[in-house]
Amino acid sequence: MTANVLILSAAGMLVSAYLMVGQKALFTTIRLYGLQSLLLAIVATTMAISESRHELLVTAALTVVLKTILIPWFLMRTVDRIGIQREVEPFLNVPVSLLICLGLTVVGYRVSSGFEEGTQQVTHHLIGVALSLLLIGMFLMVTRKKAITQILALLTVENAVFLVAVGVTTGMPLVVEFGIAFDVILAVLVLGILVQRIVGRFESMDVSRLSNLKG
Amino acid sequence: MTSAMQDGLLAAGAALLQAGGLLALAPLLKTVIKKMKARLQNRQGPPLLQGYYDLAKLLRKEPVRSDVASWVYVAGPRAYFAAAVAATTLVPVVFAAAPLESAGGILLLVGALAFGRFALATAALDTGSPFGGMGASRDMTIAALAEPALMLGLFASALAAGSMNLGVLVRTLVQEGVTRHPADILAFAGIFMIVIAETGRIPVDNPATHLELTMIHEAMVLEYAGPDLALVEWASAVKELLYFTLLVDLFLPVGIATSTAPAALLVGIVAWVGKVFVLAIAVTIVESTNAKLRLFRVPELVSISLGLAFLALAIRFL
Amino acid sequence: MDGLVAVGVPLALAIRLVSVVATLMLVRHARACRWVALGASIAASVVTAAVAVHVIGSTSSIDGTLFRHAASETVLGYSVTPLSAWFLTTLSLIAVPVALYSTGYFAHAIAPPRMAAVGAALNAMVGGLEVVFVADGVIAFLCGWEVMTLATAALVATEHESRASRRAAYLFLVMSHVGTGCLLAGFLILGSVAGSLSFAVILSGHVVSGSMRSGVFALFFIGFGVKAGLIPFHVWLPEAHPAAPSSVSAFMSAVLITAGIYGLFKVCAFGLGPPDVNWALAFMSLGTLSAILGVLYALTQTDIKRLLAYSTIENSGIMALGLGAAMMALAHGRHTLATVAVAASLMHVLNHAIFKSLLFLGAGSVVMATGTRHIEHFGGLMRRMPWTGLWFLIGALAISGLPLLNGFPSEWLTFQALLQGFTSTPGLVRLNFPLTAALLALTSALAAACFVRAFGISFLALPRSPAASEAHESPAVMLVPLGFLATLCVVLGLFPGFVLRALGGVTASLPGLQPPAAMMWGGLGMSSALTSFDHVAPVMFGLAFVGGLIGSAALTGRRAVAVRQAPTWGCGGELTPRSEYTATAFSKPVLMIFGAVYRPTRQVDAVAEVSPYFVHEIRYRAEIEPTFERYLYRPLLRGVVRMAGGMKVLQAGSLHAYLAYVLVLAVILLMWLGGTT
């Protein structure tokens, strides 16, 4: 039962990442990120109950509060303020992007089978999903032009790391988790402010315009 | 009186005796060379005791010093003189040991003479006259060039005899006998050329000129008068005698006394005087048959000397 | 006493650390800063000296820990070996007079707002250097090395409004870090092969072998050679040493150089196993080259501090030369000879520190009194600054290697090592020794010429500028350190046997060397390993010299007539300072004879207004070609810039491109490493 929940949640996270790749509307992308974080919290709660690691409950709560509620709210507010609702054409069109994401997933799963923990079924999926999520997040960062989407991609990468930490290893010390949580908040705040400044300067969130600054 | 103190007193006494003797004979050597040069040029030349008369005259005169100079100007000739006199105690002259041979060997000898030269050159800059600076500059440059050649030549002989201490070197050579290696001739030629340079003789420098374009050593001492000049002249003469004695010790120490018997000492004195006289003749011939070189030709001469010394080292040991 | 010695090193470092913090906090009170910083420096140096002297006397090391971090199990330990103790003694011996001198000098020369920074940087520099000498592991060593470098750079940039100072500091930083990079690479190679970062393990001599050993040697040689100022790594030295305040320059030239020499000893010569003949040849040839070129360039300088900086390069070369001779002897299995050569090099470290700091401090006094560093504007200072002049003269005599002073014994020992090396090594390579000896003789004779020029033009005859004619003698607090150092020069020159006896313990602690029983001779003199080869007792020569002086006094002093003072003959006109010989003229013969080295260029312009026959002004400009800057470093720089330009393509300026690099790298790494467990 636990195994099923875990595998389903992980799969859900991967699906949400794919959907993020295919999305053009900014609001939907943010909500997809919220969903991803919720699924991560479910993984954490399941691990906490099944292995009676109660500190993971704190982690789950933290994830829900911060990543499912606070950060999406903040990002949506930023988008509101800027007034741009749609993503511009990415560098690669959607079908090609999805194909590449498939390739990255294959890489992630292949690497996962090289690990010792990857021999068990559950952890095999968990590591595979996490690595794929990491690579897809980085890919998103490379191919998207809007700063908000890049922030979301960074957060996806961070979710992937969390997944591995919670699901596979013995978890991180609570101190480290708090530290990471605050790092994430700080990063998002800073990036949010930065996005507003970029828009204020260039009247566009298009990050590729930064190359105008090149000397 | 412990034996160490006895040895010390003996050494001091011998040092005084040797220094005094060389001091006494140095002006004679200079005058002999002058006279021989004059004879070669069909002149009479000065009387043999002229050197002593000149020194006595100078010592009697009133000291005149520049009003611009500091104590360095006064100290220069005295340091030069003291260095030359102290150096005389390091070289074996008539006896196969130097009075203060425990003080040092070839390196200390060269260093002592360098000390004197440093003092004199520095003092020459003290009067504010351009001649002093010019002489100091030229003399220090030529000395710098001459030093490696001198060192190499001395090393060639010292390494052959197995010691750099002059007393030990002479004793070793006397024991081994007169048979020498062809490298000795090369080394002798090299060192002889350097001795010409160091004593300020033609073809490197003219000791009798006072023309700006041709002076080297004379320019350094141009501003000295009276007793100061006497010290400088005397010390230069002692230096020359010292160099000749060095050549004699390194290359032909035949006849040097190996015991303190009066007969041996007498033979030693006669042998030494004779050999120095022969060297004086050689110097006279070199001076009379050559013209003075331009200043910037002197490095060529020195480099020939360096090459000869290096060859001496190479063919002896390889 | 034993208790003090056991905690001495951490105590000294703690004093320095506290003083750095205190100085920075007292930034508004310049006078307090000065006293705190310099007082702490003196106190810490005394403690370090006590430790060092104890180690040399007892010839056993003192070990301990400087810093321990339990969680990560990092331990930074220290080990005062006899070799370290020798260098520490030199450091402390120089640091105390320099600090004392600085109490007077900084009051005049450093602007009050900067006093805190200068005081703190000085203590940081000396503290870093102490850590370098006593570190027993790579981390401690490199930490000390970096602190020392950064503090020195800060001090070099003290007068940062001047472009030359900024450039000097920048050049110093770049070259130091090139050297540090090589050191880091070398240490990491050794550490990864040996599996530990402790010196006891990686410098045991058995870690690497074959061509890797030579590669590591080359890395360390470059790294330490940059610090020691050996040619061709010397380009920073003539810029950085003049730019720093004079007492700091003294410390830099005298002691900071020895950090490089210490490294060369500890790692290159004795830390990588039995030396190779090629290594010894590298040391000897670069050492000789440094010596000759150093003194040749020094002869033509008109900035007195630059002159002294080039002279430091020369002496650094002599130290490397001695070490090279030792390595050559070790490579042929001649242990006694190697001991003599090592002793010569180490003795020169001490002697050079003493007379170089004496000369730099004297130059500092002169610069402070006249307001300029240009020799041609000095002159006549002997009458206005008699004590400074006297001490500077003693320093000049010492650096020329003349007997009775301390330059002579170390040069004498070096000659001994070279000459005996000739007789005891086989084959064609032995010709190196007499050649090197001849070049060493040339170097010391040229050094004598250089310092006749430096002393004579600066202190003698008429003042050449208004500033020189109004110079005042320095305050007593600046004269006492000079006098102390000059007295040391004389004492160590007359009694070198004591230094040699102390060195016996130091050399015995190095692998492959034997304690030279025959090197002491009668307590007063020195002898080389074979007593019959040569020995010297400078004090006896000193007695003979005094005898000569008495003789000269006897000959000339009997006159009752007073001395007549008369003006110098000015060739019929009035003698003005303009008719004096200039420093440039003094070194012109050398410039012309060694023209192939200098490649001088000359430009003479005759400026005439009315007619070319009535010349109104003649302008003369002479320049020496900066050979190493032009032919070695400029092409190197151009290559680096070109390579950077080529790599500029990668810096597309596009954020996406950078992210794409990260992604590609991540995928590649995962596929490469992930498939293997």
Side-chain angles (χ1 to χ4, degrees):
Chain A
M1 165 70 179
T2 336
N4 284 337
V5 172
L6 286 174
I7 294 177
L8 271 176
S9 311
M13 286 173 76
L14 193 59
V15 168
S16 73
Y18 271 91
L19 287 175
M20 275 166 84
V21 172
Q23 258 313 315
K24 289 236 174 106
L26 277 176
F27 273 124
T28 321
T29 322
I30 297 174
R31 289 202 190 98
L32 278 170
Y33 169 70
L35 176 65
Q36 202 182 73
S37 309
L38 185 62
L39 289 170
L40 182 61
I42 293 177
V43 168
T45 320
T46 317
M47 292 298 291
I49 297 174
S50 72
E51 294 186 13
S52 19
R53 277 152 50 191
H54 298 285
E55 64 270 13
L56 279 182
L57 285 173
V58 179
T59 311
L62 209 61
T63 310
V64 167
V65 170
L66 271 181
K67 298 194 197 170
T68 319
I69 301 177
L70 263 180
I71 289 181
W73 170 79
F74 178 74
L75 285 175
M76 284 203 258
R77 215 181 62 152
T78 313
V79 172
D80 245 340
R81 234 186 243 157
I82 297 172
I84 303 172
Q85 311 254 355
R86 301 211 96 227
E87 170 78 57
V88 298
E89 268 308 311
F91 285 119
L92 296 170
N93 63 6
V94 172
V96 175
S97 307
L98 284 174
L99 271 174
I100 294 181
C101 287
L102 267 175
L104 292 174
T105 314
V106 169
V107 170
Y109 264 88
R110 207 172 151 259
V111 173
S112 142
S113 55
F115 286 112
E116 199 185 284
E117 290 86 347
T119 47
Q120 302 170 25
Q121 206 194 20
V122 174
T123 40
H124 173 66
H125 282 296
L126 284 180
I127 297 178
V129 164
L131 281 172
S132 316
L133 214 60
L134 191 136
L135 291 172
I136 292 174
M138 290 173 75
F139 175 72
L140 259 182
M141 262 197 276
V142 174
T143 54
R144 288 310 159 90
K145 292 182 184 168
K146 282 259 184 287
I148 292 278
T149 324
Q150 294 191 322
I151 296 172
L152 286 170
L154 183 67
L155 292 169
T156 310
V157 170
E158 205 260 322
N159 272 353
V161 173
F162 233 79
L163 181 62
V164 173
V166 163
V168 179
T169 65
T170 50
M172 301 179 280
L174 211 56
V175 173
V176 179
E177 288 197 17
F178 275 122
I180 293 182
F182 282 119
D183 273 340
V184 169
I185 297 176
L186 202 66
V188 172
L189 280 174
V190 169
L191 288 170
I193 296 172
L194 206 60
V195 164
Q196 293 186 7
R197 295 229 125 210
I198 292 175
V199 170
R201 193 85 180 82
F202 296 104
E203 279 147 34
S204 152
M205 250 201 288
D206 189 346
V207 175
S208 61
R209 289 224 192 161
L210 278 175
S211 56
N212 285 347
L213 292 172
K214 189 170 69 167
Chain B
M1 224 189 272
T2 65
S3 80
M5 276 183 72
Q6 265 184 333
D7 285 337
L9 277 176
L10 196 65
L16 269 173
L17 207 61
Q18 181 156 309
L22 286 180
L23 267 177
L25 289 175
L28 185 59
L29 173 67
K30 256 212 151 74
T31 324
V32 161
I33 295 181
K34 264 193 223 169
K35 188 133 182 128
M36 286 198 286
K37 253 170 57 173
R39 279 296 163 83
L40 275 180
Q41 294 166 10
N42 257 327
R43 292 187 284 121
Q44 278 293 327
L48 278 175
L49 295 179
Q50 185 62 39
Y52 300 105
Y53 298 152
D54 286 337
L55 281 176
K57 171 190 80 174
L58 285 172
L59 283 173
R60 264 202 314 267
K61 289 202 164 201
E62 173 194 35
V64 183
R65 299 200 181 129
S66 167
D67 57 359
V68 167
S70 62
W71 60 266
V72 175
Y73 173 79
V74 178
R78 282 150 184 78
Y80 187 60
F81 184 81
V85 164
T88 59
T89 58
L90 299 172
V91 184
V93 177
V94 292
F95 186 65
L100 285 184
E101 73 177 41
S102 42
I106 291 179
L107 289 170
L108 184 61
L109 180 67
V110 174
L113 296 173
F115 189 103
R117 191 169 45 233
F118 188 102
L120 201 63
T122 313
L125 285 166
D126 207 3
T127 56
S129 150
F131 291 112
M134 190 179 70
S137 154
R138 291 175 183 175
D139 197 76
M140 292 301 283
T141 309
I142 293 181
L145 294 173
E147 189 117 332
L150 180 65
M151 288 288 205
L152 264 188
L154 293 173
F155 291 161
S157 327
L159 290 174
S163 170
M164 295 254 286
N165 187 292
L166 286 166
V168 174
L169 197 143
V170 165
R171 288 194 288 276
T172 318
L173 286 176
V174 164
Q175 257 185 339
E176 282 175 11
V178 196
T179 51
R180 305 305 300 280
H181 197 273
D184 286 337
I185 305 206
L186 291 170
F188 177 80
I191 300 181
F192 186 72
M193 282 199 243
I194 297 300
V195 167
I196 299 275
E198 293 269 350
T199 53
R201 296 205 164 272
I202 293 176
V204 175
D205 182 14
N206 189 344
T209 183
H210 288 93
L211 298 174
E212 176 188 332
L213 286 175
T214 55
M215 287 196 286
I216 298 178
H217 181 84
E218 288 302 312
M220 271 205 303
V221 302
L222 198 66
E223 306 290 336
Y224 287 115
D228 299 331
L229 185 58
L231 286 177
V232 173
E233 297 278 315
W234 211 337
S236 303
V238 168
K239 236 175 78 166
E240 187 162 18
L241 188 55
L242 204 57
Y243 273 119
F244 286 6
T245 313
L246 189 64
L247 275 174
V248 160
D249 280 341
L250 285 176
F251 295 103
L252 204 64
V254 175
I256 202 165
T258 42
S259 69
T260 48
L265 283 175
L266 198 61
V267 168
I269 295 176
V270 169
W272 175 68
V273 168
K275 284 180 271 187
V276 168
F277 185 67
V278 168
L279 274 177
I281 295 177
V283 166
T284 312
I285 295 177
V286 165
E287 274 209 298
S288 306
T289 54
N290 282 302
K292 189 177 116 56
L293 284 175
R294 258 183 66 208
L295 180 67
F296 293 109
R297 288 292 192 88
V298 173
E300 293 173 15
L301 184 73
V302 171
S303 58
I304 296 175
S305 162
L306 186 67
L308 285 173
F310 195 68
L311 265 177
L313 210 58
I315 69 177
R316 183 189 280 280
F317 288 104
L318 288 179
Chain C
M1 185 58 183
D2 273 341
L4 173 68
V5 162
V7 301
V9 173
L11 178 63
L13 289 175
I15 295 177
R16 289 198 196 274
L17 191 63
V18 167
S19 86
V20 167
V21 172
T23 316
L24 289 175
M25 288 201 307
L26 286 169
V27 67
R28 290 189 197 282
H29 309 279
R31 205 142 170 268
C33 279
R34 210 167 59 235
W35 286 108
V36 165
L38 296 170
S41 184
I42 294 180
S45 298
V46 168
V47 171
T48 317
V51 174
V53 167
H54 179 91
V55 170
I56 291 182
S58 67
T59 64
S60 60
S61 312
I62 293 180
D63 302 325
T65 27
L66 287 173
F67 179 74
R68 183 189 293 270
H69 185 242
S72 57
E73 287 179 43
T74 322
V75 176
L76 297 180
Y78 71 88
S79 168
V80 185
T81 58
L83 183 69
S84 314
W86 182 258
F87 283 89
L88 277 179
T89 318
T90 311
L91 183 149
S92 308
L93 203 58
I94 302 304
V96 172
V98 165
L100 191 60
Y101 179 93
S102 305
T103 52
Y105 182 74
F106 283 172
H108 295 272
I110 311 262
R114 293 186 188 160
M115 191 72 71
V118 169
L122 184 67
N123 269 313
M125 177 174 76
V126 184
L129 190 54
E130 283 174 355
V131 171
V132 164
F133 285 149
V134 302
D136 75 346
V138 171
I139 300 179
F141 186 89
L142 287 176
C143 281
W145 190 270
E146 268 302 291
V147 167
M148 177 182 75
T149 306
L150 292 174
T152 314
L155 285 168
V156 169
T158 308
E159 289 170 21
H160 51 79
E161 354 18 273
S162 131
R163 193 163 171 268
S165 286
R166 285 201 304 272
R167 183 173 178 272
Y170 185 66
L171 186 60
F172 172 76
L173 269 179
V174 169
M175 295 241 34
S176 292
H177 281 99
V178 167
T180 311
C182 292
L183 287 185
L184 192 59
F187 276 131
L188 287 178
I189 293 178
L190 284 178
S192 65
V193 171
S196 152
L197 285 180
S198 149
F199 279 168
V201 174
I202 61 179
L203 293 180
S204 62
H206 311 295
V207 176
V208 281
S209 60
S211 57
M212 195 186 234
R213 200 167 78 117
S214 291
V216 169
F217 171 81
L219 281 173
F220 281 120
F221 188 65
I222 296 177
F224 289 122
V226 169
K227 195 54 154 190
L230 291 177
I231 285 180
F233 316 117
H234 68 285
V235 283
W236 60 274
L237 219 157
E239 309 282 335
H241 283 206
S246 298
S247 46
V248 174
S249 303
F251 191 80
M252 283 169 71
S253 262
V255 189
L256 223 50
I257 301 298
T258 62
I261 304 286
Y262 172 73
L264 288 174
F265 263 91
K266 196 173 171 73
V267 180
C268 292
F270 294 106
L272 294 175
D276 201 36
V277 171
N278 295 320
W279 300 1
L281 279 176
F283 262 96
M284 280 176 81
S285 45
L286 282 184
T288 317
L289 195 66
S290 305
I292 294 272
L293 287 181
V295 77
L296 279 178
Y297 284 124
L299 260 169
T300 55
Q301 300 300 318
T302 49
D303 175 340
I304 190 156
K305 288 172 77 169
R306 248 180 111 95
L307 189 153
L308 291 172
Y310 272 112
S311 168
T312 302
I313 296 178
E314 174 216 339
N315 282 287
S316 198
I318 296 180
M319 293 177 219
L321 182 64
L323 188 55
M327 287 167 77
M328 185 71 88
L330 276 177
H332 288 103
R334 301 266 186 263
H335 301 282
T336 334
L337 182 62
T339 315
V340 174
V342 165
S345 189
L346 287 177
M347 190 190 258
H348 200 70
V349 166
L350 178 66
N351 287 332
H352 172 250
I354 298 176
F355 55 62
K356 188 44 70 64
S357 52
L358 171 61
L359 286 169
F360 254 111
L361 292 181
S365 297
V366 169
V367 169
M368 192 177 91
T370 57
T372 171
R373 300 203 312 235
H374 199 63
I375 289 191
E376 312 273 26
H377 294 161
F378 294 163
L381 293 174
M382 198 63 173
R383 287 187 154 188
R384 305 201 60 90
M385 305 174 72
W387 286 107
T388 311
L390 174 64
W391 305 139
F392 194 92
L393 177 61
I394 294 185
L397 285 168
I399 201 171
S400 309
L402 298 174
L404 299 183
L405 292 145
N406 65 347
F408 180 73
S410 48
E411 241 179 57
W412 186 89
L413 259 185
T414 315
F415 273 118
Q416 295 304 314
L418 290 173
L419 292 171
Q420 290 183 38
F422 178 74
T423 50
S424 55
T425 48
L428 209 62
V429 75
R430 76 206 309 224
L431 274 182
N432 265 305
F433 285 106
L435 208 60
T436 312
L439 288 173
L440 186 62
L442 178 65
T443 308
S444 70
L446 283 174
C450 179
F451 280 92
V452 167
R453 171 180 182 260
F455 174 74
I457 304 286
S458 307
F459 285 93
L460 300 179
L462 288 167
R464 291 156 205 260
S465 71
S469 48
E470 290 162 16
H472 295 294
E473 180 65 280
S474 319
V477 77
M478 286 168 67
L479 287 176
V480 166
L482 287 178
F484 169 70
L485 289 169
T487 317
L488 261 185
C489 281
V490 175
V491 167
L492 288 183
L494 287 177
F495 301 103
F498 295 111
V499 178
L500 212 53
R501 196 204 314 243
L503 274 173
V506 175
T507 50
S509 76
L510 293 168
L513 298 184
Q514 297 167 354
M519 264 164 60
M520 278 292 297
W521 187 77
L524 288 178
M526 313 189 294
S527 104
S528 57
L530 297 156
T531 329
S532 63
F533 190 74
D534 199 2
H535 47 256
V536 73
V539 68
M540 289 176 72
F541 176 73
L543 288 173
F545 185 81
V546 168
L549 283 177
I550 295 176
S552 71
L555 283 170
T556 58
R558 285 176 293 135
R559 309 281 313 148
V561 178
V563 173
R564 178 157 71 96
Q565 299 271 356
T568 311
W569 169 245
C571 296
E574 196 185 314
L575 191 77
T576 65
R578 290 198 58 98
S579 59
E580 287 176 6
Y581 223 55
T582 63
T584 317
F586 195 97
S587 54
K588 196 79 193 299
V590 176
L591 191 72
M592 292 183 70
I593 292 173
F594 287 97
V597 172
Y598 291 116
R599 270 43 113 91
T601 52
R602 175 174 92 152
Q603 191 182 346
V604 181
D605 297 315
V607 177
E609 276 171 19
V610 177
S611 144
Y613 299 108
F614 296 100
V615 173
H616 150 73
E617 187 181 290
I618 298 184
R619 295 200 188 127
Y620 173 85
R621 186 190 155 82
E623 201 179 300
I624 306 175
E625 187 180 72
T627 316
F628 287 98
E629 285 85 343
R630 193 170 291 176
Y631 294 113
L632 181 62
Y633 284 94
R634 198 160 290 176
L636 209 67
L637 271 172
R638 249 180 291 159
V640 169
V641 170
R642 215 175 316 144
M643 202 167 63
M647 290 176 72
K648 202 167 74 158
V649 176
L650 284 176
Q651 293 269 28
S654 157
L655 184 61
H656 295 98
Y658 303 152
L659 290 171
Y661 297 151
V662 175
L663 175 62
V664 168
L665 184 65
V667 172
I668 291 175
L669 277 178
L670 277 176
M671 292 185 68
W672 180 32
L673 294 170
T676 62
T677 317

